[in-house]
Amino acid sequence: MSFFDQIQTRSESINSLLCVGLDPHQKELPADQWSASEESRCEAAYQFCKRIIDATADHTVCYKPNAAFFEALGTKLGNVTLRRVIDAIPDDIPVLLDVKRGDIGSTAAAYAEACYEEQDGLNADGVTLSPLMGWDSVSPFITGKYADKGAFVLCKTSNPGSNDILALNLQQQTVFEKIAGLANGWSSSAASDSPTLSTTPRLGLVVGATDPSALSKARNAAGSKLWILAPGVGAQGGDLDAACRAGLNDEGTGMLIPVSRGISRASDPSAEAMKLKEGINAARKAVLDQRDEKRKEQGDSIAPYQKEFLEFSLKEGVLKFGSFVLKSGRTSPYFFNAGLFSSGSALYKLGKAYAAAIMSSEELVDKDGNVTFDVVFGPAYKGISLGALVCSALYSDFGVETGFAYNRKEAKDHGEGGILVGSSMANKRVLVVDDVITAGTAIRESHTLLQKIEATPVGVAIALDRAEKRSLEDPLSAVQAVARDLEIPVVSIVALPQLQEYLKSSSEYDDDVLKLVTEYRSKYGV
């Protein structure tokens, strides 16, 4: 089982996102034992950590011993004590060794051996790393014989000085957003190298809970798969509720809250750990409840751009009401054929509608109003024109500049060659644009293609979401299945609920049409 599989399994089994830090700082240990001898210091440090482990094992997802505090105990026994502490941790609780290594080549490989080896090393399950020297500094810790290990890379740390470098702007994104996107791509590459082990990500991010805005941007840049270690709650003043709103993924997981001093200095560490776990869970529930309430409020409402889209779709004959037998065998009261957007005015309005839907999406636009993608990708063939329209409309209507790329069905053996045309997508965040999702095959193929070139798919935009079950036995729609399986958001201009809402307020269609659509949604809708 890989490191992040262990994290996921442990989190689910005890219903917790708490990570307990083991930091035997000099101030935490009795002064007389610290000054007596190295042996005395090390024994005090061990007993300090063992007390915390015994008190908190029922509540923590993992333990995070900080190697620096053990190294400071002494050159003779410091690392020996660290290994004693790791050995004292129950086998079913993963160990995240906080070492923040960052080197390349044989040096990085040696660091990995020292951290991971069971016989002569520290026997940790995962580590923290500095990624500023690139993939070369990360790969020795998560590939080859350590493919079952994992690492959290420093992305946007909780100290104010992190802004000096990590918050610098690189064209349309910050350094830390670039790191988050790279980590996602590196993680996918590492997982694909060992597919029989697990497809679970090999990397997570360290993003301070003290900066919810950065936490939200990092989550958007990295996607929902990567776990985030969010230090700073408690002693450093991070707001737990704000951090959870910004960092939790769609399932309300994917984030660990590490706490050290708040537990070690408590009169009852066990009670404090339970209190922290319950507090985090309360914040999680509040976030999920807020998201559900917002989805319910927005589910059937109709925005002006959606109303305009439905009106010109009807005018162009793209959307029709009647009786239509679908490929699934169902008889639908409406039919949508995007191929009939075939005039200049219709295409112009279509691009504006896509752009409006994207810019209205919390999944594709961060809290500062910046899109979370660098390139729009249009899969052949329908997606090519749609992608071009979206890029143009984003720029003309919202001043958003993105790249545009598309693929050919057949590789070209002359000119620029290959199957990809347009903006480079390697190490970029990519939005896929298509008209509808029927089975999701085209989107899944695009996702695979993008991962092969180390691009990061961050979302899909479509015109219409039929929002209906794939079968009466399957509660998910094709769109929901894509979002679940690929772990990326799918944004539509309109969905079946908006179509129903439009009919309620329209004087052009009688009650019979509304009744048929309502009955269809009641029977097949998700």
Side-chain angles (χ1 to χ4, degrees):
M1 184 183 292
S2 72
F3 173 68
F4 284 104
D5 281 326
Q6 292 180 63
I7 293 291
Q8 182 73 40
T9 300
R10 175 72 180 172
S11 175
E12 292 175 354
S13 67
I14 64 170
N15 189 29
S16 176
L17 295 179
L18 176 65
C19 166
V20 174
L22 300 173
D23 301 347
H25 189 276
Q26 179 179 354
K27 294 180 180 179
E28 301 281 358
L29 306 178
D32 58 337
Q33 288 183 288
W34 181 270
S35 59
S37 65
E38 181 178 344
E39 289 80 0
S40 177
R41 283 196 300 275
C42 289
E43 183 59 29
Y46 174 77
Q47 294 300 331
F48 167 83
C49 294
K50 185 67 167 62
R51 170 176 170 265
I52 295 172
I53 293 167
D54 292 343
T56 61
D58 291 339
H59 310 298
T60 185
V61 175
C62 67
Y63 285 104
K64 185 177 71 68
N66 190 316
F69 294 117
F70 291 90
E71 291 169 6
L73 294 172
T75 57
K76 181 181 177 182
L77 297 174
N79 274 341
V80 172
T81 304
L82 175 54
R83 177 59 193 260
R84 284 184 68 199
V85 168
I86 291 174
D87 287 344
I89 294 172
D91 291 340
D92 61 336
I93 304 179
V95 177
L96 172 63
L97 184 59
D98 193 357
V99 287
K100 301 181 180 69
R101 300 302 189 203
D103 213 317
I104 59 173
S106 58
T107 306
Y111 277 142
E113 288 181 8
C115 292
Y116 293 147
E117 285 299 315
E118 183 176 358
Q119 294 300 320
D120 300 318
L122 293 169
N123 197 29
D125 300 301
V127 294
T128 57
L129 300 174
S130 171
L132 293 184
M133 292 184 74
W135 171 239
D136 295 346
S137 66
V138 173
S139 61
F141 292 87
I142 58 170
T143 60
K145 65 178 179 178
Y146 300 130
D148 61 338
K149 304 296 185 179
F152 282 94
V153 299
L154 304 181
C155 180
K156 178 63 171 70
T157 50
S158 56
N159 59 303
S162 68
N163 290 325
D164 295 344
I165 296 176
L166 298 176
L168 292 176
N169 281 310
L170 303 174
Q171 296 178 339
Q172 296 180 7
Q173 61 181 160
T174 60
V175 172
F176 74 81
E177 288 175 284
K178 179 69 173 179
I179 290 172
L182 285 171
N184 196 8
W186 292 342
S187 185
S188 297
S189 296
S192 64
D193 287 342
S194 304
T196 56
L197 178 64
S198 171
T199 58
T200 304
R202 302 295 191 268
L203 293 175
L205 304 173
V206 180
V207 185
T210 51
D211 190 345
S213 176
L215 191 52
S216 176
K217 290 178 181 179
R219 170 57 74 196
N220 288 332
S224 61
K225 290 183 179 181
L226 267 63
W227 279 79
I228 292 176
L229 185 71
V233 170
Q236 295 183 53
D239 185 296
L240 176 60
D241 293 331
C244 287
R245 284 194 298 271
L248 290 174
N249 62 20
D250 292 340
E251 287 74 40
T253 63
M255 187 166 71
L256 292 175
I257 306 295
V259 179
S260 300
R261 285 171 286 178
I263 292 174
S264 66
R265 296 179 179 177
S267 58
D268 186 341
S270 179
E272 185 64 23
M274 178 182 288
K275 178 182 176 183
L276 285 164
K277 181 179 79 170
E278 292 175 347
I280 294 169
N281 284 343
R284 292 169 72 188
K285 184 178 185 304
V287 169
L288 292 175
D289 287 347
Q290 290 170 4
R291 291 176 181 176
D292 286 343
E293 188 62 32
K294 189 167 187 178
R295 277 193 284 266
K296 289 176 183 178
E297 291 175 357
Q298 296 178 341
D300 290 356
S301 62
I302 183 165
Y305 74 85
Q306 294 174 317
K307 183 173 184 291
E308 183 178 350
F309 173 76
L310 289 170
E311 287 175 343
F312 82 77
S313 295
L314 288 162
K315 180 180 178 182
E316 296 291 328
V318 173
L319 176 62
K320 295 179 180 180
F321 295 113
S323 180
F324 306 93
V325 178
L326 305 179
K327 188 176 180 180
S328 63
R330 297 173 184 171
T331 300
S332 171
Y334 72 97
F335 190 72
F336 184 85
N337 181 6
L340 295 178
F341 285 122
S342 54
S343 67
S345 60
L347 291 171
Y348 170 75
K349 293 177 181 178
L350 178 60
K352 290 174 70 69
Y354 267 107
I358 291 167
M359 297 306 293
S360 299
S361 166
E362 290 185 354
E363 294 92 342
L364 299 177
V365 178
D366 65 26
K367 293 180 180 179
D368 295 325
N370 301 309
V371 295
T372 60
F373 53 92
D374 308 303
V375 180
V376 172
F377 175 69
Y381 289 103
K382 284 184 180 180
I384 296 176
S385 58
L386 294 176
L389 289 171
V390 169
C391 274
S392 177
L394 284 171
Y395 182 75
S396 64
D397 290 5
F398 298 97
V400 173
E401 180 79 280
T402 68
F404 168 58
Y406 62 91
N407 68 310
R408 300 185 178 97
K409 291 286 188 180
E410 303 83 19
K412 190 176 180 181
D413 59 5
H414 60 281
E416 72 275 18
I419 63 169
L420 294 176
V421 182
S423 180
S424 171
M425 294 184 286
N427 296 317
K428 299 284 184 66
R429 303 167 298 170
V430 180
L431 173 68
V432 181
V433 176
D434 214 336
D435 57 347
V436 296
I437 293 178
T438 304
T441 304
I443 300 300
R444 295 173 197 274
E445 290 175 349
S446 296
H447 190 272
T448 300
L449 182 153
L450 293 172
Q451 288 193 319
K452 284 183 178 179
I453 61 170
E454 297 188 354
T456 303
V458 296
V460 179
I462 59 175
L464 174 70
D465 176 6
R466 292 186 64 92
E468 59 184 73
K469 303 169 187 174
R470 292 182 291 181
S471 70
L472 293 180
E473 293 76 31
D474 188 343
L476 292 182
S477 70
V479 167
Q480 289 174 328
V482 165
R484 178 200 63 189
D485 296 343
L486 304 184
E487 294 189 315
I488 55 176
V490 179
V491 172
S492 64
I493 301 174
V494 294
L496 180 55
Q498 283 77 45
L499 177 58
Q500 185 179 2
E501 191 66 20
Y502 173 78
L503 289 171
K504 289 179 182 178
S505 59
S506 175
S507 59
E508 296 187 27
Y509 299 93
D510 58 33
D511 292 342
D512 289 340
V513 175
L514 173 59
K515 180 182 178 182
L516 289 171
V517 171
T518 301
E519 290 175 348
Y520 188 82
R521 182 185 178 190
S522 177
K523 183 174 183 179
Y524 297 114
V526 292

